[in-house]
């Protein structure tokens, strides 16, 4: 057989014709079966089947084949039909519609033949209400009406095999309870059929708690054909040894006969987690297929989310399944970034309020497929770019952004895309534009300045998704204290192009994209409301103004270091200590700490006021401190290369705080 996967839509799969080759396309616990040999005259040109434990193959001439746990019934036949691999059943010459069945005990493989309701065969009981295969226990036949409570339930012997029970239920007999026990872990299957009115079947533990149920009603479509699902109920589960109850109840009090087939087969295999824990047939099939390697990757989760966009809206089962998969991320070895981004789609986020400046909102039962698609685009593809309008900031006027795809020609592989042709992280990669985020860029420069921190911190911030996007990691913080686990933002390679120098520089030479991508991601991260920004808008303006000590631990995820200043407060933060001495600065740098420093409002020596620089080195012998201005090479005195060396006394006179991270 050829096995193919249905994405949830009802399109027929195209198959290469083979000799009576068939394909099974999973649709939840049911499978859509189509014969690839359309010229087959025996059973019709468009065969439909429900496969798992029950088959309903609708033939082209109106014939139907049903299978209930090993029982195959061919009825309503007007011509020849094939049943099973080598068994051929033919109606009589008068073409009557009396059913002819081939019953197979799924445990022993022995068969029992039944014609017009009479039962024959090895160890089979006679009569019309009960059929037993070889090896069945005496508890397989109910001769009296089942009790209406758990206390009066018909008590069956321990089950091990295939069983059938026929009964009725209705207005005066609204519940039938059956008690049974299992002596070993078993694969337990139930199908309730032959209903003329709506009835449900439920499996209960010995305390009466529901384990699983089937409560269908109305109709649903398979392959474009509508089927009544109130005429049958079915479920499958794995049960441990113990005592259980089956409850059959009338949905609306209308009387109906019913036949209950069930199979208890000892098993040591692991149950099908997907059908046991998920509800939507399409998601069950996608998750089972994509998770067959024990993992659900970023692309896997994107496919699963988008499988629900085949219809016009997200229903409650799909929403529940999304959340179930996220809540079981460890089962699928889902990496942290995929779990985090999937969680924002399935369980919501404050950042879901807007998308590209328009109202969006969290996913809910009834959400449109368009809304779901936008959420996937926002979190997995970086499609929700920071606003194109950046408000004025102090003397800097308002700015309007145009975005363009970054030119990466000549760059090959992750490291060149991020870090330029030399593939290395350097403090000189940083060149600030007119956006007032010197504190952020100086902090990045402080990590880039140390090769060990560049590798462990900067390099680990970025995940290359291989599709032109990068996932960037941050942590929530408050005054340098980390407040959240790792959080993730996806950015694409559409970067600001207006004015050239308005935002962090990038190129396809030695600089690469990493600084511009980090700046953009930090602007998007403001929406999360955990970075202690005065604005939570997805806007570059949200990240103007700040202190490096808040950024450093937001990048590392470790509460360490802090701010050192001769003040009682820096913003709302209490300094860790006084402004550092030269020897302390040297010691921190020698121990691979990242350091940046903030200036007073009106410094001398051509130093930029109200600005943060990266501390590059400290020379205790010469008594000097070397700094790097995030502006890069500029016309300021002493900063033609971007670097500036000061005596420690000049440094202390013009700078008032030091960030350590």
């Amino acid at each position: 057989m050829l096995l193919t996967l249905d994405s949830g839509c009802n399109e027929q799969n195209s198959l290469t014709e083979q000799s009576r080759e068939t394909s099974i396309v999973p649709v939840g616990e049911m499978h859509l079966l189509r014969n690839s040999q359309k010229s087959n005259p025996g059973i019709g040109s468009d065969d439909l089947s429900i496969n798992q434990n029950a088959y309903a193959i609708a033939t082209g001439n109106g014939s139907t084949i049903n299978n209930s746990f090993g029982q195959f019934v061919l009825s309503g036949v007007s011509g020849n039909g094939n049943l099973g691999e080598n068994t051929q059943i033919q109606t009589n010459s008068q073409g009557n519609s009396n059913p002819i069945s081939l019953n197979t005990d799924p445990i022993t493989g022995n068969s029992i033949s039944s014609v017009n309701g009479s039962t024959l065969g090895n160890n089979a009981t006679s009569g019309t209400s009960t059929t037993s295969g070889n090896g069945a226990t005496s508890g397989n036949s109910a001769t009296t009406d089942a009790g209406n409570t758990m206390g009066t339930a018909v008590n069956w012997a321990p089950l091990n095999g295939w069983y059938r029970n026929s009964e009725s239920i209705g207005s005066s007999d609204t519940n039938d309870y059956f008690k049974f026990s299992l002596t070993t872990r078993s694969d337990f299957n139930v199908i309730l059929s032959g209903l003329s009115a709506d009835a449900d079947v439920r499996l209960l533990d010995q305390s009466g708690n529901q384990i699983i149920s089937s409560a269908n009603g109305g109709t649903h479509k398979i392959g474009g054909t509508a089927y009544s699902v109130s005429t049958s109920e079915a479920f499958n589960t794995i049960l441990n040894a113990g005592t259980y109850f089956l409850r059959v109840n009338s949905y609306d009090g209308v009387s109906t006969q019913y036949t209950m087939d069930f199979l208890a087969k000892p098993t040591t295999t692991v149950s099908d987690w997907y059908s046991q824990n998920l509800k939507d047939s399409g998601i069950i099939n996608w998750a089972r297929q994509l998770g067959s390697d024990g993992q659900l990757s970023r692309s896997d989760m994107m496919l699963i989310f988008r499988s629900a966009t085949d219809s016009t809206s997200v229903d409650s089962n799909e929403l529940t399944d999304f959340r179930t998969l996220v809540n079981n991320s460890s089962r699928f070895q889902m990496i942290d970034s995929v779990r985090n981004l999937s969680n924002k789609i399935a369980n919501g986020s404050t950042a879901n309020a807007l998308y590209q400046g328009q109202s969006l909102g969290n996913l809910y039962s009834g959400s449109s497929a368009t809304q779901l698609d936008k959420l996937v685009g926002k979190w997995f593809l970086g499609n929700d770019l920071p606003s194109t309008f950046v408000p004025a900031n102090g003397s800097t006027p308002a700015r309007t952004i145009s975005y363009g795809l970054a030119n990466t020609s000549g760059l090959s592989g992750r490291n060149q895309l991020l870090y330029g042709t030399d593939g290395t992280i350097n403090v000189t990669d940083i060149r600030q534009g007119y956006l007032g985020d010197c504190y952020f860029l100086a902090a990045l420069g402080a990590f880039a300045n140390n090769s060990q921190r560049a590798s462990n911190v900067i390099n680990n911030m970025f995940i290359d998704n291989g599709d032109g996007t990068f996932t960037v990691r941050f942590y929530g913080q408050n005054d340098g204290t980390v407040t959240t686990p790792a959080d993730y933002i996806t950015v694409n390679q559409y970067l600001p192009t207006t004015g050239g120098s308005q935002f962090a520089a990038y190129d396809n030479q030695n600089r690469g994209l990493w600084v511009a991508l980090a700046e953009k991601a930090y602007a998007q991260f403001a929406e999360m409301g955990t970075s202690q920004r005065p604005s939570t808008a997805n806007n570059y303006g949200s990240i103007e103004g700040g202190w490096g000590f808040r950024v450093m631990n937001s990048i590392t995820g470790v509460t360490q270091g802090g701010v050192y200043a001769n003040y009682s407060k820096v913003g709302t933060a209490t300094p860790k200590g006084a402004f550092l001495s030269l020897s302390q600065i040297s010691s921190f740098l020698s121990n691979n700490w990242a350091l940046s420093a903030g200036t007073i409002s009106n410094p001398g020596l051509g130093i930029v006021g109200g600005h943060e620089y990266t501390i590059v080195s400290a020379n205790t012998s010469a008594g000097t401190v070397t700094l790097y201005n995030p502006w890069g090479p500029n016309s300021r005195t002493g900063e033609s290369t971007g670097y500036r060396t000061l005596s420690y006394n000049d440094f202390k006179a013009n700078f008032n705080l030091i960030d350590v991270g």
Side-chain angles (χ1 to χ4, degrees):
M1 284 188 179
L2 300 175
L3 182 63
T4 58
L5 185 66
D6 187 350
S7 65
C9 60
N10 289 320
E11 296 177 300
Q12 182 174 339
N13 289 275
S14 175
L15 300 171
T16 303
E17 182 171 337
Q18 300 183 23
S19 177
R20 288 200 53 82
E21 196 81 52
T22 59
S23 67
I24 300 178
V25 184
V27 184
E29 288 307 290
M30 298 173 290
H31 295 70
L32 181 64
L33 180 67
R34 292 186 182 273
N35 195 320
S36 64
Q37 184 170 325
K38 297 305 177 185
S39 61
N40 170 29
I43 198 168
S45 61
D46 193 14
D47 307 340
L48 289 175
S49 168
I50 298 176
N51 179 24
Q52 172 64 23
N53 295 306
Y55 296 81
I57 304 177
T59 67
N61 58 14
S63 304
T64 301
I65 297 178
N66 292 309
N67 168 30
S68 301
F69 309 137
Q71 180 191 35
F72 299 83
V73 181
L74 181 65
S75 60
V77 181
S78 59
N80 292 337
N82 295 325
L83 180 62
E85 296 228 344
N86 299 307
T87 306
Q88 186 177 67
I89 297 179
Q90 180 176 354
T91 58
N92 58 29
S93 58
Q94 286 75 30
N96 65 44
S97 60
N98 292 328
I100 303 174
S101 69
L102 175 66
N103 296 329
T104 305
D105 185 323
I107 303 296
T108 66
N110 294 329
S111 61
I112 305 166
S113 298
S114 171
V115 180
N116 295 340
S118 62
T119 306
L120 304 172
N122 187 21
N123 278 0
T125 62
S126 61
T128 60
S129 64
T130 305
T131 304
S132 168
N134 185 22
T137 68
S138 60
N140 67 346
S141 176
T143 57
T144 59
D145 184 64
N148 288 319
T149 66
M150 289 178 64
T152 59
V154 170
N155 192 357
W156 288 336
L159 304 184
N160 182 6
W162 168 55
Y163 302 82
R164 165 172 287 185
N165 183 76
S166 294
E167 188 79 63
S168 64
I169 199 168
S171 57
S172 60
D173 180 20
T174 56
N175 289 283
D176 284 346
Y177 281 89
F178 305 92
K179 181 180 180 180
F180 67 92
S181 60
L182 299 172
T183 59
T184 186
R185 179 179 172 87
S186 300
D187 186 349
F188 188 73
N189 301 264
V190 169
I191 185 168
L192 199 69
S193 60
L195 301 174
S196 59
D198 200 353
D200 304 327
V201 58
R202 307 173 192 278
L203 176 65
L204 313 175
D205 64 20
Q206 58 184 344
S207 298
N209 300 310
Q210 180 173 299
I211 299 172
I212 193 171
S213 67
S214 180
N216 295 322
T219 62
H220 67 269
K221 289 185 177 181
I222 301 176
T225 303
Y227 290 89
S228 172
V229 295
S230 61
T231 59
S232 64
E233 306 284 348
F235 60 72
N236 162 253
T237 189
I238 298 294
L239 295 177
N240 293 321
T243 299
Y244 301 91
F245 291 83
L246 285 168
R247 174 194 170 198
V248 180
N249 66 284
S250 171
Y251 174 74
D252 49 14
V254 178
S255 298
T256 179
Q257 297 285 327
Y258 67 85
T259 297
M260 184 163 59
D261 289 289
F262 48 99
L263 169 67
K265 182 177 180 180
T267 181
T268 57
T269 60
V270 178
S271 63
D272 177 30
W273 183 91
Y274 303 94
S275 59
Q276 295 302 307
N277 292 276
L278 304 177
K279 298 182 178 182
D280 178 79
S281 60
I283 293 177
I284 287 171
N285 294 320
W286 277 111
R288 183 189 288 119
Q289 176 75 7
L290 298 172
S292 61
D293 59 356
Q295 299 180 351
L296 286 177
S297 66
R298 171 181 176 270
S299 59
D300 292 341
M301 288 304 298
M302 289 174 64
L303 281 170
I304 289 170
F305 282 124
R306 283 185 158 165
S307 71
T309 65
D310 290 339
S311 59
T312 58
S313 64
V314 178
D315 62 36
S316 60
N317 285 343
E318 291 168 328
L319 180 60
T320 298
D321 287 351
F322 292 157
R323 293 171 175 172
T324 298
L325 290 172
V326 172
N327 293 339
N328 286 272
S329 58
S330 59
R331 175 186 181 88
F332 299 106
Q333 302 178 47
M334 200 180 294
I335 65 173
D336 192 48
S337 59
V338 174
R339 179 205 58 77
N340 176 270
L341 297 174
S342 297
N343 185 65
K344 291 173 182 175
I345 297 173
N347 290 310
S349 168
T350 57
N352 288 342
L354 297 174
Y355 176 80
Q356 297 180 353
Q358 303 298 315
S359 178
L360 182 62
N362 290 327
L363 203 63
Y364 62 93
S365 177
S367 285
S368 68
T370 300
Q371 182 188 5
L372 175 56
D373 190 61
K374 288 179 179 179
L375 286 169
V376 172
K378 177 184 181 79
W379 294 115
F380 281 112
L381 297 174
N383 289 343
D384 191 12
L385 305 177
S387 173
T388 57
F389 176 79
V390 180
N393 177 46
S395 61
T396 304
R399 290 137 288 176
T400 300
I401 301 174
S402 295
Y403 286 98
L405 187 63
N407 178 10
T408 59
S409 62
L411 302 179
S412 176
R414 174 189 184 273
N415 284 354
Q416 283 198 354
L417 282 172
L418 286 174
Y419 312 127
T421 52
D422 60 0
T424 60
I425 302 169
N426 298 289
V427 67
T428 53
D429 293 339
I430 293 170
R431 188 164 187 177
Q432 182 184 355
Y434 290 137
L435 190 68
D437 62 347
C438 59
Y439 70 98
F440 177 74
L441 298 178
L444 290 180
F447 291 118
N449 180 60
N450 180 289
S451 60
Q452 180 176 313
R453 303 303 296 282
S455 176
N456 294 341
V457 176
I458 297 298
N459 196 46
N460 288 339
M461 282 180 67
F462 296 94
I463 299 172
D464 182 1
N465 297 317
D467 59 359
T469 68
F470 290 86
T471 299
V472 186
R473 182 190 64 198
F474 292 107
Y475 297 81
Q477 65 80 41
N478 185 67
D479 284 333
T481 298
V482 176
T483 57
T484 73
D487 206 348
Y488 297 87
I489 299 295
T490 301
V491 290
N492 58 29
Q493 293 179 35
Y494 282 87
L495 295 169
T497 59
T498 303
S501 61
Q502 290 186 356
F503 303 91
Y506 58 91
D507 63 25
N508 62 338
Q509 300 175 40
N510 284 336
R511 181 169 282 118
L513 305 181
W514 76 273
V515 181
L517 293 176
E519 182 180 67
K520 179 183 176 186
Y522 197 55
Q524 292 177 208
F525 183 57
E527 265 195 313
M528 296 303 300
T530 59
S531 56
Q532 210 175 354
R533 303 303 310 155
S535 170
T536 57
N538 180 10
N539 193 303
Y540 278 103
S542 295
I543 62 172
E544 291 196 292
W547 291 284
F549 70 93
R550 289 179 174 173
V551 174
M552 289 174 173
N553 291 350
S554 187
I555 293 173
T556 65
V558 181
T559 299
Q560 59 184 6
V563 62
Y564 292 81
N566 295 329
Y567 300 103
S568 59
K569 292 286 184 181
V570 175
T572 56
T574 301
K576 294 290 185 178
F579 192 86
L580 297 177
S581 67
L582 181 61
S583 63
Q584 288 174 317
I585 294 172
S586 177
S587 177
F588 272 118
L589 290 173
S590 296
N591 286 284
N592 298 314
W593 289 83
L595 276 71
S596 62
T599 65
I600 61 177
S601 58
N602 294 297
L605 305 175
I607 298 168
V608 182
H611 188 54
E612 289 209 5
Y613 287 71
T614 295
I615 300 179
V616 175
S617 64
N619 188 327
T620 56
S621 298
T624 59
V625 176
T626 299
L627 309 167
Y628 181 79
N629 189 339
W631 290 3
N634 65 83
S635 60
R636 292 263 173 169
T637 302
E639 295 185 2
S640 60
T641 62
Y643 291 97
R644 172 188 287 271
T645 298
L646 296 171
S647 70
Y648 176 73
N649 287 336
D650 285 342
F651 172 69
K652 187 175 181 179
N654 291 282
F655 288 76
N656 58 6
L657 63 86
I658 297 176
D659 310 296
V660 179

